[in-house]
Structure formats: structure tokens, C-alpha cells
Amino acid sequence: NAGVTQTPKFRILKIGQSMTLQCAQDMNHNYMYWYRQDPGMGLKLIYYSVGAGITDKGEVPNGYNVSRSTTEDFPLRLELAAPSQTSVYFCASSYFRGTGETSYEQYFGPGTRLTVT
Amino acid sequence: GQQVMQIPQYQHVQEGEDFTTYCNSSTTLSNIQWYKQRPGGHPVFLIQLVKSGEVKKQKRLTFQFGEAKKNSSLHITATQTTDVGTYFCAGNYKLSFGAGTTVTVRA
């Protein structure tokens, strides 16, 4: 299994440009997440999904959009990039069983380092 | 909203010494998880605690969940250079991550 994969690894955008960060997992996980990590800071949740066709906002959703058409893929769309979106973006996935003892362990991708200038 | 605070933010440790990092939540947590992120890497799951007062060990690492399920600690004994990195706690399934404790080790 490849686990969680993210593309691209690095990207430089000009202010006002748009792009899509790709995330895929091959573990048949139902939950997927997007986080951003600013230098020296923790991770902040942008959006999450509990299954195909279902997404919801996290702490910092402004300026981003997501979709989840399949279990495997969870792309993050940046519209009108701004310097404040310069960050490292991590995608993660987990399997939530909902009954019995549940593990909330999240598997993270390697990240996308985005610079907006 | 839920806030998770970690202290200290930085921990400089002499190799071989012990240290503890603490995680405090403003609300009661159903579970807490600990992750480690090496410099330049991504967070990697270490452990999950669910029960009040729960204690779990992984070799030199001891994790504890408070009785009120609002705080947790990670204690590392005999610190090694391989322990370098940032340790995050995160609460509940929509993980609210603390800012982390960044550990450096003096050989």
C-alpha cells in the first residue's frame, strides 16, 4: 500500500492564481482531512470528509474548497491565492468504525509546501 | 471551540535525561492522541488514550490521560537523539492539535 499520497510536493503560486492540491489514499479509509501547518505552529483543520459525497468545514476553511467524489480522493482547491495561504498542507485519512473501541489514528501524507508571492 | 494547549513549547534536553510534556484541553475529551513529527516530515501516530486515568507505555515513552479527561502527558526517559522532533497532542476525531513541544537533544 502507498498509504496517503499528495501532489505536488512543492509549488509557488502568484497572488490571485488558483490550484488544486491532490490527495489520495489506498487504505479504504472513510474519513479524510486537510490540515495546514504554518512555521512553528500546530496543525489547523481546513476541511474534512466522513465519506464520499460528504464534506464539512474545519477551523480555517476560508479561501479553500473541497470535494469527495470517491473514497480514495480528496482534492483541496485554492481559489485566488493569497500570501496568507503560504503554508505546508497535509492530507490525512482514518478509518472510523463507529462501534466498539474505535481508533482515531490518522495517517498523514508527506505534505505539499506552498508559497504564494 | 475546543482548544488544546501544550507546554512547554520548546524542550532542550541533555542526552540521557528525562522530560515531560503536557497537554491541556479547555473541554473534556473523548480521546486523545499523540503524534511525532520529525523535522521536515509529517506527523506520525504514536498512541491513543481513551479511558480516564489511562497509562500506556512504549519503550521509553509513557503516556497518561488525566482522570477528568482534560489533560494528558508524555514522559520520555533517557532521552536519545532519535527523540528529536515535535510532539503533538490532538483531541477527538476532528483533531484539534496543540502547537506541539519541539524537542532538541544535546549530545
Side-chain angles (χ1 to χ4, degrees):
Chain A
N1 286 354
V4 180
T5 57
Q6 292 184 240
T7 55
K9 284 188 170 55
F10 303 93
R11 184 71 186 268
I12 298 174
L13 279 183
K14 293 192 187 305
I15 294 171
Q17 288 186 320
S18 301
M19 76 165 293
T20 299
L21 281 65
Q22 300 292 345
C23 174
Q25 54 92 9
D26 61 1
M27 297 174 284
N28 201 30
H29 285 173
N30 48 358
Y31 280 41
M32 294 187 75
Y33 313 79
W34 274 104
Y35 295 91
R36 59 175 288 171
Q37 184 176 35
D38 298 329
M41 303 294 286
L43 292 94
K44 293 197 180 295
L45 183 64
I46 305 171
Y47 271 96
Y48 69 100
S49 168
V50 302
I54 306 169
T55 63
D56 206 352
K57 297 176 180 179
E59 281 182 88
V60 290
N62 291 346
Y64 307 94
N65 278 299
V66 294
S67 60
R68 183 115 180 255
S69 55
T70 67
T71 299
E72 295 78 17
D73 300 297
F74 191 39
L76 177 72
R77 177 84 178 159
L78 277 72
E79 305 282 0
L80 299 175
S84 61
Q85 293 178 304
T86 294
S87 191
V88 179
Y89 291 84
F90 289 102
C91 178
S93 71
S94 65
Y95 183 72
F96 181 69
R97 191 164 50 236
T99 57
E101 176 141 338
T102 297
S103 171
Y104 295 94
E105 174 180 358
Q106 291 198 0
Y107 295 78
F108 283 80
T112 293
R113 190 172 297 272
L114 176 68
T115 302
V116 182
T117 61
Chain B
Q2 179 183 309
Q3 294 225 349
V4 176
M5 308 291 290
Q6 281 187 258
I7 52 171
Q9 188 174 359
Y10 298 98
Q11 184 82 52
H12 308 290
V13 188
Q14 182 71 41
E15 192 173 16
E17 288 184 343
D18 302 353
F19 76 90
T20 303
T21 175
Y22 300 90
C23 178
N24 298 303
S25 171
S26 57
T27 60
T28 301
L29 300 170
S30 61
N31 66 85
I32 196 159
Q33 302 177 43
W34 285 89
Y35 289 78
K36 178 182 178 181
Q37 185 177 25
R38 294 184 187 276
H42 59 275
V44 175
F45 176 80
L46 293 176
I47 208 151
Q48 173 177 289
L49 304 170
V50 178
K51 298 174 185 170
S52 169
E54 188 170 15
V55 177
K56 288 188 177 180
K57 291 190 176 185
Q58 288 181 349
K59 297 183 180 178
R60 296 177 296 101
L61 278 61
T62 301
F63 304 84
Q64 186 164 7
F65 203 6
E67 294 290 340
K69 300 181 75 173
K70 294 180 74 172
N71 55 68
S72 181
S73 64
L74 160 59
H75 181 77
I76 300 182
T77 59
T79 304
Q80 300 177 358
T81 55
T82 53
D83 296 323
V84 163
T86 300
Y87 294 83
F88 293 101
C89 63
N92 297 341
Y93 81 90
K94 278 193 297 179
L95 301 184
S96 295
F97 279 80
T101 294
T102 298
V103 176
T104 55
V105 179
R106 299 188 300 273

